[in-house]
Amino acid sequence: MLAVPLPDLLAGRVGRSWVGFIMVMLFMAACSARLPANSNPSTHVRAPSVSESSTLTRPLVDLRTEVKGKILLHYVADSGDQAEWAGKLKVGNSYKVAVDCVGSQGTMMIVPRKGWKTVRQCSAGFGTYTVDNHPASTPEAETLMIKAPHGARWAVLAVQTS
């Protein structure tokens, strides 16, 4: 029998194939899961992960405590049955819009002025946007529109920044 030193064995074709075989087997063993004998794969339903379920059940952020400035508009749709809303406000040079949305994995559309909109995932949590209104020597009337996914609870706040 021919004796081959271990470094030569690992460096050669035979050594690489055995190492590869062992790695594949370890990978397959780590990725496999044993199902109960009476289980039917078609009846399994994926349970929400911890992050998904906590996003759906967390309370709305109180935007008045998170965003500083003179409040121009504040609205909370806490029942989950209001998918669209529009509010009027008077703004100067710029203002900040803060939103929060819970109870849905859909998207929320924020339209703070004609010709400008943004879309965000409802599950993304609280966020703010700065809307510039240059040049505005006097306050102008704006309509802020919100379109939320069905079943979502949401809040919007607009504050004057300049």
Side-chain angles (χ1 to χ4, degrees), residues 1-10 14:
M1 183 159 146
L2 180 64
V4 179
L6 183 60
D8 290 341
L9 180 65
L10 292 177
V14 175

Side-chain angles (χ1 to χ4, degrees), residues 6-162:
L6 183 60
D8 290 341
L9 180 65
L10 292 177
R13 178 179 287 174
V14 175
R16 282 193 302 248
S17 64
W18 278 105
V19 170
F21 176 76
I22 292 170
M23 294 302 288
V24 168
M25 294 306 293
L26 287 172
F27 178 76
M28 289 176 57
C31 293
S32 64
R34 188 174 185 100
L35 293 175
N38 62 353
S39 71
N40 181 355
S42 64
T43 61
H44 287 285
V45 177
R46 188 178 71 86
S49 69
V50 173
S51 62
E52 286 175 348
S53 60
S54 64
T55 300
L56 294 175
T57 59
R58 74 170 174 81
L60 282 168
V61 172
D62 185 354
L63 300 173
R64 297 169 298 180
T65 63
E66 296 294 325
V67 182
K68 303 299 178 216
K70 178 185 173 192
I71 296 176
L72 303 172
L73 176 135
H74 182 235
Y75 187 80
V76 178
D78 203 19
S79 64
D81 61 355
Q82 188 171 10
E84 292 187 24
W85 177 84
K88 297 224 182 265
L89 63 152
K90 275 196 165 203
V91 295
N93 289 336
S94 67
Y95 63 102
K96 189 175 283 192
V97 176
V99 294
D100 189 27
C101 184
V102 297
S104 175
Q105 294 294 322
T107 57
M108 176 182 206
M109 183 169 51
I110 302 106
V111 185
R113 65 179 323 157
K114 190 175 183 177
W116 190 88
K117 70 179 177 181
T118 188
V119 178
R120 67 181 282 119
Q121 284 294 321
C122 187
S123 61
F126 146 71
T128 61
Y129 305 92
T130 300
V131 183
D132 290 325
N133 194 16
H134 294 291
S137 56
T138 60
E140 297 178 6
E142 295 267 348
T143 300
L144 174 64
M145 293 183 357
I146 303 291
K147 292 184 180 182
H150 182 70
R153 295 177 299 118
W154 55 271
V156 62
L157 173 79
V159 296
Q160 189 70 50
T161 57
S162 65

